Amino acid sequence: MKFDTVIVGAGISGCVLAERLANENNHKVLIIEKRDHIAGNMYDYYNDEGILIHKYGPHFFRTDKEEIWEYLARFTDWHYYEHKVKSSVQGQLVPFPINLDTYNLVHGTGLSTDEFKVKLEENKFTDSPKNAEEAIINQVGEKFYNLFFKNYSIKQWGRSPKELHADTVKRVPVRLDREDRYQLAKYQGLPSKGYTHLFKNLIKSDNIKFLLNTDYKEVIDGVNYDQLIYTGPLDYYFDFKFGKLEYRSLKFEEKTYTTDSFQEEAVINYPNNYAYTRITEYKKMTGQKHHNTTVHYEYPIEYKRGESDPYYPILNDKNADLKDKYISEATSLENVYFIGRLAEYRYYAMDDAVEAALHLYDTKFSKLKS
Ligand SMILES: Cc1cc2nc3c(=O)[nH]c(=O)nc-3n(C[C@H](O)[C@H](O)[C@H](O)COP(=O)(O)OP(=O)(O)OC[C@H]3O[C@@H](n4cnc5c(N)ncnc54)[C@H](O)[C@@H]3O)c2cc1C
């Protein structure tokens, strides 16, 4: 069979493009996915207990872009949910990102917004922080850096903020008031029947075929197609010829408790104690009713190809150079398009990934509609 487009990867980047090309251009599309499921890192499923959980860590959808929200709303209803996170520090749970309450709880004070603002301004000591440590201290001061960021970063990245680009933390969000929502975006929620259900609707077209459990390199030589959209790892496409891009990975320990509610908020961060960085209680995000509850303990780990999944690109000079070399090869290829968090070696929030995929469609493919 002849395909107009082969898409490597059934995550949101690949599936949005599949949807557009199949429905708008009448393309015959083949999606090749190496995992045993669609939905990429947004994959969710009901565990043995019947509780809806996110396999690759908590995914909370938020955007300020109405067109992205509306586009996805064609494939799902929304469960309106505003995410809140608390951090466990000095034996108490305090709002995170840092707000006025966080400051007052940690210091046992009752500062007003204006007084808090003055305290924050006292921290600033440079206009050009040399690394992430300086960038954070510059904004929140040494005490909060030590309480909330230093050890968290050592766990999360396996290195001190001193060794990371100042860009990793361009701006630490600090709220001068008592705002305790994790994000302030206009649209916030989760698909009411889960992300995987959204994906099933997204790629529900007779024009789309998919092949799961298949690394595209095992089959691509035998497939007849015109163009390739690639959402897998950038360096893997080129057989690592310039070297390997580094990632940080994660491991999740799942536990189900015989209680209706396990913790105060959906996510509690543990910056200083324990090997895990956070605990997520999924029912608090999905709104599911169940007499038991499932949580994930999240452990950052080294990424080893074949043993763990690539999660977060590691931003340093070496990886930035390597990425540039691969990207310049990638852009010179004809009829091959690199898109998504792995193929562009960058962190994409879900709405940005959808936007980038729609933009690629609009700029490259929409005029070729049949
Ligand atoms: C822990 C964590 C939490 C997150 N939480 C949020 C959140 O709360 N809100 C938010 O907006 N964003 C969040 N994100 C970001 C979100 O996961 C990404 O925006 C989204 O997954 C990007 O989709 P993608 O299609 O680009 O990549 P992916 O979802 O990774 O899809 C790429 C697909 O390609 C497949 N693939 C790779 N190599 C091959 C190959 N050789 N052959 C065939 N298939 C291959 C992979 O198996 C994968 O399914 C989070 C990310 C992480 C890591």
Side-chain angles (χ1 to χ4, degrees), residues 127-170:
D127 285 330
S128 47
K130 287 201 285 294
N131 53 45
E133 178 178 274
E134 286 196 4
I136 302 169
I137 294 176
N138 211 29
Q139 293 169 67
V140 299
E142 205 146 343
K143 177 163 178 147
F144 273 31
Y145 166 71
N146 285 323
L147 275 182
F148 292 92
F149 298 98
K150 183 177 174 189
N151 295 324
Y152 193 91
S153 166
I154 291 170
K155 282 198 264 184
Q156 178 76 9
W157 297 104
R159 60 206 84 201
S160 153
K162 254 192 209 150
E163 301 166 60
L164 296 172
H165 261 211
D167 283 0
T168 333
V169 283
K170 260 187 203 127

Short mmCIF file of all heavy atoms in Angstrom, two decimals, residues 127-170:
data_model
loop_
_atom_site.label_atom_id
_atom_site.label_comp_id
_atom_site.label_asym_id
_atom_site.label_seq_id
_atom_site.Cartn_x
_atom_site.Cartn_y
_atom_site.Cartn_z
N ASP A 127 22.68 41.75 37.36
CA ASP A 127 21.82 41.83 36.17
C ASP A 127 22.08 40.68 35.22
O ASP A 127 21.33 40.46 34.27
CB ASP A 127 22.05 43.15 35.42
CG ASP A 127 21.43 44.31 36.16
OD1 ASP A 127 20.40 44.08 36.84
OD2 ASP A 127 21.98 45.42 36.10
N SER A 128 23.17 39.97 35.42
CA SER A 128 23.47 38.86 34.52
C SER A 128 23.97 37.65 35.31
O SER A 128 25.18 37.43 35.42
CB SER A 128 24.51 39.29 33.48
OG SER A 128 25.57 39.95 34.12
N PRO A 129 23.01 36.90 35.86
CA PRO A 129 23.39 35.72 36.63
C PRO A 129 24.19 34.74 35.78
O PRO A 129 23.87 34.52 34.61
CB PRO A 129 22.05 35.11 37.06
CG PRO A 129 21.00 35.82 36.28
CD PRO A 129 21.57 37.09 35.78
N LYS A 130 25.24 34.15 36.39
CA LYS A 130 26.15 33.29 35.61
C LYS A 130 25.60 31.88 35.47
O LYS A 130 26.01 31.14 34.59
CB LYS A 130 27.51 33.23 36.33
CG LYS A 130 28.30 34.53 36.20
CD LYS A 130 29.80 34.29 36.44
CE LYS A 130 30.15 34.08 37.90
NZ LYS A 130 29.92 35.28 38.76
N ASN A 131 24.76 31.47 36.39
CA ASN A 131 24.23 30.11 36.33
C ASN A 131 22.87 30.09 37.03
O ASN A 131 22.40 31.13 37.52
CB ASN A 131 25.20 29.12 36.99
CG ASN A 131 25.56 29.58 38.40
OD1 ASN A 131 24.69 29.99 39.16
ND2 ASN A 131 26.84 29.54 38.73
N ALA A 132 22.25 28.90 37.07
CA ALA A 132 20.88 28.83 37.62
C ALA A 132 20.85 29.18 39.11
O ALA A 132 19.89 29.79 39.59
CB ALA A 132 20.31 27.44 37.39
N GLU A 133 21.92 28.82 39.83
CA GLU A 133 21.95 29.16 41.26
C GLU A 133 21.85 30.68 41.45
O GLU A 133 21.01 31.17 42.22
CB GLU A 133 23.23 28.64 41.91
CG GLU A 133 23.32 29.02 43.39
CD GLU A 133 24.56 28.47 44.08
OE1 GLU A 133 24.50 27.31 44.54
OE2 GLU A 133 25.58 29.18 44.13
N GLU A 134 22.68 31.39 40.72
CA GLU A 134 22.65 32.86 40.85
C GLU A 134 21.30 33.43 40.39
O GLU A 134 20.78 34.37 40.99
CB GLU A 134 23.78 33.47 40.02
CG GLU A 134 25.13 33.27 40.66
CD GLU A 134 26.21 34.20 40.08
OE1 GLU A 134 25.90 35.07 39.22
OE2 GLU A 134 27.35 34.03 40.51
N ALA A 135 20.76 32.81 39.32
CA ALA A 135 19.48 33.31 38.79
C ALA A 135 18.38 33.18 39.85
O ALA A 135 17.55 34.08 40.00
CB ALA A 135 19.10 32.55 37.53
N ILE A 136 18.40 32.09 40.58
CA ILE A 136 17.32 31.87 41.58
C ILE A 136 17.55 32.77 42.80
O ILE A 136 16.63 33.43 43.28
CB ILE A 136 17.24 30.39 42.00
CG1 ILE A 136 16.98 29.49 40.79
CG2 ILE A 136 16.11 30.20 43.01
CD1 ILE A 136 17.14 28.01 41.05
N ILE A 137 18.80 32.79 43.30
CA ILE A 137 19.07 33.60 44.50
C ILE A 137 18.76 35.07 44.21
O ILE A 137 18.21 35.79 45.05
CB ILE A 137 20.54 33.42 44.97
CG1 ILE A 137 20.74 31.98 45.45
CG2 ILE A 137 20.88 34.40 46.09
CD1 ILE A 137 22.16 31.64 45.85
N ASN A 138 19.05 35.48 43.01
CA ASN A 138 18.78 36.86 42.58
C ASN A 138 17.30 37.22 42.72
O ASN A 138 16.94 38.36 42.93
CB ASN A 138 19.17 36.96 41.11
CG ASN A 138 19.65 38.35 40.74
OD1 ASN A 138 20.19 39.06 41.58
ND2 ASN A 138 19.43 38.73 39.50
N GLN A 139 16.46 36.21 42.58
CA GLN A 139 15.02 36.48 42.63
C GLN A 139 14.39 36.20 43.98
O GLN A 139 13.53 36.96 44.43
CB GLN A 139 14.31 35.64 41.56
CG GLN A 139 14.67 36.05 40.16
CD GLN A 139 14.17 35.05 39.13
OE1 GLN A 139 12.99 34.90 38.95
NE2 GLN A 139 15.08 34.36 38.50
N VAL A 140 14.80 35.11 44.63
CA VAL A 140 14.08 34.74 45.87
C VAL A 140 14.97 34.74 47.11
O VAL A 140 14.46 34.51 48.22
CB VAL A 140 13.39 33.36 45.73
CG1 VAL A 140 12.37 33.38 44.62
CG2 VAL A 140 14.40 32.24 45.54
N GLY A 141 16.27 34.96 46.94
CA GLY A 141 17.16 35.00 48.10
C GLY A 141 17.67 33.63 48.47
O GLY A 141 17.18 32.61 48.02
N GLU A 142 18.68 33.64 49.32
CA GLU A 142 19.40 32.42 49.64
C GLU A 142 18.56 31.42 50.45
O GLU A 142 18.59 30.22 50.21
CB GLU A 142 20.67 32.77 50.42
CG GLU A 142 21.71 31.72 50.26
CD GLU A 142 23.12 32.30 50.25
OE1 GLU A 142 23.28 33.52 50.04
OE2 GLU A 142 24.04 31.50 50.45
N LYS A 143 17.77 31.93 51.38
CA LYS A 143 16.99 31.03 52.24
C LYS A 143 15.99 30.21 51.40
O LYS A 143 15.91 28.99 51.52
CB LYS A 143 16.25 31.83 53.30
CG LYS A 143 15.37 30.95 54.17
CD LYS A 143 14.95 31.62 55.44
CE LYS A 143 14.03 30.66 56.21
NZ LYS A 143 14.15 30.77 57.62
N PHE A 144 15.25 30.90 50.54
CA PHE A 144 14.27 30.18 49.73
C PHE A 144 14.95 29.32 48.67
O PHE A 144 14.44 28.26 48.30
CB PHE A 144 13.28 31.17 49.08
CG PHE A 144 12.11 31.48 49.98
CD1 PHE A 144 12.27 31.47 51.35
CD2 PHE A 144 10.86 31.74 49.46
CE1 PHE A 144 11.21 31.74 52.21
CE2 PHE A 144 9.78 32.00 50.30
CZ PHE A 144 9.96 32.01 51.67
N TYR A 145 16.10 29.78 48.19
CA TYR A 145 16.86 28.95 47.26
C TYR A 145 17.19 27.62 47.94
O TYR A 145 16.98 26.54 47.37
CB TYR A 145 18.15 29.68 46.84
CG TYR A 145 19.16 28.77 46.16
CD1 TYR A 145 18.92 28.29 44.88
CD2 TYR A 145 20.33 28.38 46.81
CE1 TYR A 145 19.84 27.45 44.25
CE2 TYR A 145 21.25 27.54 46.20
CZ TYR A 145 20.99 27.08 44.92
OH TYR A 145 21.88 26.23 44.32
N ASN A 146 17.71 27.70 49.17
CA ASN A 146 18.09 26.47 49.87
C ASN A 146 16.88 25.61 50.22
O ASN A 146 16.94 24.39 50.12
CB ASN A 146 18.86 26.81 51.16
CG ASN A 146 20.28 27.24 50.83
OD1 ASN A 146 20.91 26.72 49.91
ND2 ASN A 146 20.78 28.23 51.56
N LEU A 147 15.77 26.23 50.58
CA LEU A 147 14.59 25.45 50.99
C LEU A 147 13.87 24.80 49.82
O LEU A 147 13.41 23.66 49.92
CB LEU A 147 13.59 26.37 51.70
CG LEU A 147 13.77 26.63 53.19
CD1 LEU A 147 12.64 27.50 53.70
CD2 LEU A 147 13.79 25.31 53.97
N PHE A 148 13.72 25.53 48.72
CA PHE A 148 12.84 25.05 47.65
C PHE A 148 13.55 24.55 46.40
O PHE A 148 12.98 23.76 45.65
CB PHE A 148 11.87 26.17 47.22
CG PHE A 148 10.86 26.53 48.25
CD1 PHE A 148 11.12 27.54 49.16
CD2 PHE A 148 9.67 25.83 48.35
CE1 PHE A 148 10.18 27.88 50.13
CE2 PHE A 148 8.73 26.16 49.31
CZ PHE A 148 8.99 27.18 50.22
N PHE A 149 14.74 25.06 46.13
CA PHE A 149 15.31 24.83 44.79
C PHE A 149 16.58 23.99 44.77
O PHE A 149 16.75 23.15 43.89
CB PHE A 149 15.59 26.17 44.10
CG PHE A 149 14.35 26.97 43.87
CD1 PHE A 149 13.98 27.99 44.74
CD2 PHE A 149 13.51 26.69 42.80
CE1 PHE A 149 12.81 28.72 44.55
CE2 PHE A 149 12.34 27.42 42.59
CZ PHE A 149 11.99 28.43 43.47
N LYS A 150 17.48 24.22 45.73
CA LYS A 150 18.81 23.62 45.63
C LYS A 150 18.73 22.07 45.60
O LYS A 150 19.15 21.44 44.63
CB LYS A 150 19.66 24.08 46.81
CG LYS A 150 21.07 23.57 46.75
CD LYS A 150 21.88 24.10 47.89
CE LYS A 150 23.24 23.43 47.88
NZ LYS A 150 23.99 23.75 49.08
N ASN A 151 18.14 21.50 46.63
CA ASN A 151 18.11 20.03 46.69
C ASN A 151 17.16 19.44 45.67
O ASN A 151 17.38 18.34 45.17
CB ASN A 151 17.76 19.57 48.11
CG ASN A 151 18.84 19.97 49.08
OD1 ASN A 151 20.02 19.94 48.73
ND2 ASN A 151 18.46 20.36 50.28
N TYR A 152 16.08 20.17 45.37
CA TYR A 152 15.14 19.71 44.34
C TYR A 152 15.89 19.55 43.02
O TYR A 152 15.76 18.55 42.32
CB TYR A 152 13.99 20.70 44.19
CG TYR A 152 12.83 20.14 43.38
CD1 TYR A 152 11.79 19.47 44.00
CD2 TYR A 152 12.80 20.27 41.99
CE1 TYR A 152 10.74 18.95 43.28
CE2 TYR A 152 11.75 19.74 41.26
CZ TYR A 152 10.71 19.10 41.90
OH TYR A 152 9.68 18.57 41.17
N SER A 153 16.69 20.56 42.72
CA SER A 153 17.43 20.53 41.45
C SER A 153 18.47 19.41 41.43
O SER A 153 18.65 18.74 40.41
CB SER A 153 18.09 21.89 41.23
OG SER A 153 19.04 21.77 40.22
N ILE A 154 19.11 19.20 42.59
CA ILE A 154 20.11 18.12 42.64
C ILE A 154 19.43 16.77 42.38
O ILE A 154 19.92 15.94 41.64
CB ILE A 154 20.87 18.14 43.99
CG1 ILE A 154 21.77 19.38 44.03
CG2 ILE A 154 21.70 16.87 44.19
CD1 ILE A 154 22.42 19.68 45.38
N LYS A 155 18.22 16.61 42.94
CA LYS A 155 17.49 15.37 42.69
C LYS A 155 17.01 15.32 41.23
O LYS A 155 17.15 14.32 40.54
CB LYS A 155 16.25 15.29 43.59
CG LYS A 155 16.56 14.89 45.01
CD LYS A 155 15.30 14.42 45.73
CE LYS A 155 14.66 15.50 46.54
NZ LYS A 155 13.49 15.05 47.31
N GLN A 156 16.42 16.44 40.78
CA GLN A 156 15.78 16.46 39.46
C GLN A 156 16.80 16.30 38.33
O GLN A 156 16.58 15.56 37.39
CB GLN A 156 15.01 17.78 39.28
CG GLN A 156 14.33 17.96 37.94
CD GLN A 156 13.05 17.13 37.82
OE1 GLN A 156 12.57 16.54 38.79
NE2 GLN A 156 12.52 17.06 36.61
N TRP A 157 17.91 17.01 38.45
CA TRP A 157 18.86 17.06 37.33
C TRP A 157 20.13 16.28 37.59
O TRP A 157 21.00 16.16 36.71
CB TRP A 157 19.22 18.51 37.00
CG TRP A 157 18.04 19.30 36.54
CD1 TRP A 157 17.34 20.21 37.27
CD2 TRP A 157 17.38 19.21 35.26
NE1 TRP A 157 16.29 20.71 36.53
CE2 TRP A 157 16.29 20.12 35.29
CE3 TRP A 157 17.61 18.46 34.09
CZ2 TRP A 157 15.44 20.28 34.20
CZ3 TRP A 157 16.76 18.64 33.02
CH2 TRP A 157 15.69 19.54 33.07
N GLY A 158 20.27 15.77 38.84
CA GLY A 158 21.50 15.05 39.17
C GLY A 158 22.68 15.99 39.24
O GLY A 158 23.83 15.57 39.17
N ARG A 159 22.42 17.27 39.33
CA ARG A 159 23.50 18.25 39.43
C ARG A 159 22.99 19.52 40.13
O ARG A 159 21.78 19.77 40.15
CB ARG A 159 24.11 18.55 38.07
CG ARG A 159 23.18 19.09 37.04
CD ARG A 159 23.65 18.77 35.63
NE ARG A 159 23.20 17.42 35.25
CZ ARG A 159 23.74 16.70 34.29
NH1 ARG A 159 24.74 17.16 33.61
NH2 ARG A 159 23.28 15.49 34.00
N SER A 160 23.93 20.27 40.65
CA SER A 160 23.57 21.49 41.37
C SER A 160 23.18 22.57 40.37
O SER A 160 23.67 22.60 39.24
CB SER A 160 24.79 21.92 42.18
OG SER A 160 24.75 23.31 42.38
N PRO A 161 22.30 23.49 40.79
CA PRO A 161 21.94 24.61 39.90
C PRO A 161 23.16 25.40 39.44
O PRO A 161 23.12 26.05 38.40
CB PRO A 161 21.04 25.48 40.78
CG PRO A 161 20.48 24.56 41.80
CD PRO A 161 21.54 23.53 42.05
N LYS A 162 24.25 25.30 40.20
CA LYS A 162 25.50 25.97 39.80
C LYS A 162 25.99 25.48 38.45
O LYS A 162 26.66 26.20 37.72
CB LYS A 162 26.59 25.60 40.82
CG LYS A 162 26.95 26.70 41.75
CD LYS A 162 28.21 26.31 42.48
CE LYS A 162 28.19 26.98 43.83
NZ LYS A 162 28.85 26.32 44.87
N GLU A 163 25.69 24.20 38.15
CA GLU A 163 26.19 23.61 36.90
C GLU A 163 25.20 23.78 35.75
O GLU A 163 25.42 23.27 34.67
CB GLU A 163 26.44 22.11 37.10
CG GLU A 163 27.44 21.78 38.16
CD GLU A 163 27.36 20.30 38.50
OE1 GLU A 163 27.58 19.47 37.61
OE2 GLU A 163 27.06 19.99 39.67
N LEU A 164 24.06 24.44 36.02
CA LEU A 164 23.05 24.59 34.96
C LEU A 164 23.01 26.02 34.45
O LEU A 164 23.23 26.96 35.21
CB LEU A 164 21.66 24.22 35.50
CG LEU A 164 21.47 22.76 35.94
CD1 LEU A 164 20.12 22.60 36.63
CD2 LEU A 164 21.57 21.83 34.74
N HIS A 165 22.66 26.15 33.18
CA HIS A 165 22.46 27.45 32.54
C HIS A 165 21.51 28.32 33.35
O HIS A 165 20.48 27.83 33.81
CB HIS A 165 21.74 27.23 31.20
CG HIS A 165 22.66 27.23 30.04
ND1 HIS A 165 22.26 27.67 28.82
CD2 HIS A 165 23.94 26.86 29.91
CE1 HIS A 165 23.25 27.56 27.97
NE2 HIS A 165 24.28 27.07 28.60
N ALA A 166 21.76 29.60 33.42
CA ALA A 166 20.81 30.52 34.05
C ALA A 166 19.46 30.41 33.33
O ALA A 166 18.40 30.58 33.94
CB ALA A 166 21.34 31.94 33.99
N ASP A 167 19.49 30.07 32.03
CA ASP A 167 18.26 29.97 31.23
C ASP A 167 17.30 28.90 31.72
O ASP A 167 16.11 28.95 31.44
CB ASP A 167 18.61 29.59 29.78
CG ASP A 167 19.13 30.77 29.03
OD1 ASP A 167 19.22 31.85 29.65
OD2 ASP A 167 19.46 30.61 27.84
N THR A 168 17.83 27.88 32.41
CA THR A 168 16.96 26.79 32.89
C THR A 168 15.85 27.36 33.77
O THR A 168 14.79 26.78 33.89
CB THR A 168 17.76 25.77 33.75
OG1 THR A 168 19.11 25.80 33.35
CG2 THR A 168 17.21 24.39 33.67
N VAL A 169 16.12 28.48 34.42
CA VAL A 169 15.14 29.06 35.35
C VAL A 169 14.97 30.55 35.07
O VAL A 169 14.98 31.34 35.99
CB VAL A 169 15.61 28.93 36.81
CG1 VAL A 169 15.41 27.54 37.34
CG2 VAL A 169 17.04 29.40 36.98
N LYS A 170 14.83 30.88 33.80
CA LYS A 170 14.78 32.29 33.38
C LYS A 170 14.09 33.18 34.42
O LYS A 170 14.59 34.19 34.85
CB LYS A 170 14.02 32.42 32.06
CG LYS A 170 14.96 32.54 30.89
CD LYS A 170 14.17 32.83 29.62
CE LYS A 170 15.00 32.39 28.44
NZ LYS A 170 14.35 31.52 27.53
#
